[in-house]
């Protein structure tokens, strides 16, 4: 071999060095941090961990020739515990990105910490619009749904059908406040009124005093600005008080197929709700849903399908960037379209919000169900640009 050829070969070898050299620590490590034992365990929990693993397996367990590892932990719906776990993951366990983050207080805390550490977060379980509003960061992304989309879907639909006076029963933390505020704004925008609200502790099992206040308000609609077991318990106890029989309607502002299954169709039938995903929507969603069902015994909700999409998009961004450097990956997340079983035509806006269609649905009557988990009738598809806030109006300082 001539010296000239050898030099040229060496130069080519440097240019074409294995991409794994661009992967920090020689691996890509993704943390799923969520509620695995509390009121939101069915909403995300171990189902979200399985969804993440499904996305990893689609990549053959590697990206840029580097192995991909998924770790998980239970944050117990406490922001301080979540922050401590995230800090340990970043500082000593080489975790590159954290996702899911059920509960808005947790999502906000971990997103802020991750910005300091220059690590990517993709929230799917948290709902507050502050994540892509005043609390946005260059490394923070929001998938699946948010309180604005829920308000536009369920809140807007109920006002359009005559539910023009509202009283809110609200979870007493950031998520509940955001959901109430967004829904109240939509109600008023459409000419409705808000007669009042009451706040309840997260995880309470006794809604009697709160429901009695809502009942005595005389509002046509009682807006349940809560989620998970809180929503299930509120709906069950509302039936005991005869609230709907008395003419008032319940608006379950964050209800997913997991909670509908937990309630049972006898209790849930007729409820109107908004989800960003339904397993029986099209061929791609059905294929994903059935694979998830084989692994977990349940169909995925929008949070769990959103985790699958978020992990898949993150890995595609690493592949496109040729690196797991957070700045390079963030740039690719903004640039690349999202096309998967969760969102066939998604796009990431300048504030980190993934824009995609959401679906206004009604829970079927038991005799309308044709197969297991066939719980919804899709009433309307809400285009993403209508469901989510205009990034220019989000309050995110990153949006020019």
């Amino acid at each position: 071999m001539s010296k000239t050829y050898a030099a040229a070969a060496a130069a080519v070898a440097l240019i074409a060095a294995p991409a794994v050299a661009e992967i920090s620590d020689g691996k890509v490590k993704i943390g799923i941090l969520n509620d695995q034992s509390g009121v939101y365990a069915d909403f995300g929990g171990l189902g979200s961990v399985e969804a993440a693993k499904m996305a990893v397996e689609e990549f053959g367990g590697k990206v840029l020739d580097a192995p991909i590892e998924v770790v998980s932990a239970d944050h117990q719906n406490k922001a301080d515990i979540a922050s401590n776990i995230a800090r340990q993951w970043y500082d000593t366990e080489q975790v590159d990105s954290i996702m899911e983050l059920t509960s808005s207080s947790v999502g906000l805390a971990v997103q802020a910490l991750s910005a300091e550490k220059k690590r990517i977060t993709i929230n799917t379980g948290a709902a507050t619009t502050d994540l892509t509003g005043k609390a946005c960061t260059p490394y923070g992304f929001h998938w699946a749904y948010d309180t604005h989309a829920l308000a536009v879907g369920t809140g807007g639909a109920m006002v359009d059908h005559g539910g023009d006076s509202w009283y809110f029963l609200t979870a007493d933390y950031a998520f509940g406040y955001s959901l109430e505020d967004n829904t109240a704004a939509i109600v008023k925008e459409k000419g409705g009124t808000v007669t009042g609200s009451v706040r309840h502790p997260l995880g309470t099992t006794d809604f009697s005093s709160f429901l009695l206040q809502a009942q005595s308000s005389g509002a046509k609609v009682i807006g349940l600005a809560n989620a998970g077991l809180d929503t299930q318990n509120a709906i069950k106890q509302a039936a005991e008080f005869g609230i709907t029989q008395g003419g008032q309607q319940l608006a379950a502002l964050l209800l997913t197929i997991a909670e509908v299954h937990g309630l049972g169709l006898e209790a849930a039938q007729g409820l109107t709700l908004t989800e960003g995903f339904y397993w029986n929507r099209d061929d791609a969603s059905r294929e994903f849903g059935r694979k998830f069902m084989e692994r977990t015994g349940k169909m995925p909700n929008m949070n769990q399908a959103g985790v699958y999409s978020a992990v898949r998009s993150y890995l595609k961004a690493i592949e496109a960037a040729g690196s797991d450097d957070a700045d390079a990956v963030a740039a690719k997340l903004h640039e690349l379209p999202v096309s998967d079983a969760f969102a066939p035509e998604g796009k990431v806006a300048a504030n980190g919000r993934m824009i995609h269609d959401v679906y206004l649905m009604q829970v079927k009557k038991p005799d309308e169900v044709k197969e297991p988990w066939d719980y919804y009738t899709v009433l309307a598809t809400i285009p993403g640009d209508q469901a989510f806030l205009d990034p220019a109006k989000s309050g995110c300082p990153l949006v020019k």
Side-chain angles (χ1 to χ4, degrees), residues 45 66 75 98 104 300 358 394 397:
H75 60 45
I98 298 178
S104 292
V358 300
S394 67

Side-chain angles (χ1 to χ4, degrees), residues 332-369:
K332 288 298 179 183
L333 280 167
H334 282 286
E335 177 185 323
L336 296 173
V338 178
S339 180
D340 54 36
F342 174 79
E345 296 181 346
K347 59 185 179 182
V348 178
N351 61 346
R353 173 69 256 174
M354 200 271 275
I355 307 294
H356 57 90
D357 293 348
V358 300
Y359 308 95
L360 179 67
M361 296 182 277
Q362 189 168 55
V363 180
K364 293 180 176 181
K365 297 176 182 177
D367 61 5
E368 295 174 334
V369 173

Side-chain angles (χ1 to χ4, degrees), residues 62-222:
K62 290 185 177 182
V63 60
L64 300 178
D65 292 328
I68 307 163
E69 183 180 349
V70 175
V71 296
S72 69
D74 183 353
H75 60 45
Q76 301 173 49
N77 291 310
K78 296 179 180 177
D80 57 342
I81 290 176
S83 295
N84 289 337
I85 292 170
R87 191 178 299 278
Q88 179 180 330
W89 276 357
Y90 289 150
D91 291 348
T92 66
E93 298 184 28
Q94 294 80 49
V95 169
D96 298 291
S97 175
I98 298 178
M99 303 187 194
E100 221 263 46
L101 296 167
T102 311
S103 154
S104 292
S105 55
V106 166
L108 290 165
V110 174
Q111 180 169 283
L113 172 65
S114 301
E116 294 174 20
K117 300 288 186 179
K118 291 187 66 174
R119 307 290 174 91
I120 301 288
T121 54
I122 306 183
N123 274 273
T124 62
T128 179
T129 52
D130 285 349
L131 287 162
T132 50
K134 63 184 181 181
C136 74
T137 80
Y139 308 103
F141 297 85
H142 201 179
W143 247 242
Y145 75 107
D146 63 24
T147 52
H148 187 271
L150 299 176
V152 169
T154 308
M158 295 199 78
V159 177
D160 288 343
H161 287 84
D164 56 5
S165 63
W166 285 62
Y167 187 93
F168 288 95
L169 198 159
T170 302
D172 193 11
Y173 75 107
F175 152 68
Y177 313 151
S178 183
L179 186 51
E180 179 185 328
D181 289 347
N182 277 270
T183 307
I186 294 294
V187 169
K188 293 172 183 176
E189 183 181 303
K190 287 180 168 286
T193 59
V194 175
T195 64
S197 66
V198 62
R199 293 176 175 175
H200 70 80
L202 178 67
T204 186
T205 56
D206 183 3
F207 283 87
S208 56
S209 64
F210 310 118
L211 287 167
L212 286 170
Q213 290 179 64
Q215 188 176 36
S216 64
S217 73
K220 294 179 182 177
V221 179
I222 299 172

Side-chain angles (χ1 to χ4, degrees), residues 40-62:
Y40 301 141
D42 286 341
F43 177 65
L46 296 178
S48 291
V49 179
E50 285 302 311
K53 290 178 179 177
M54 289 173 69
V56 170
E57 288 166 16
E58 282 190 12
F59 267 75
K62 290 185 177 182

Side-chain angles (χ1 to χ4, degrees), residues 370-389:
K370 297 177 181 178
E371 61 180 303
W373 293 84
D374 172 39
Y375 293 160
Y376 294 157
T377 297
V378 179
L379 301 177
T381 298
I382 305 168
D385 290 337
Q386 294 177 25
F388 297 101
L389 273 170

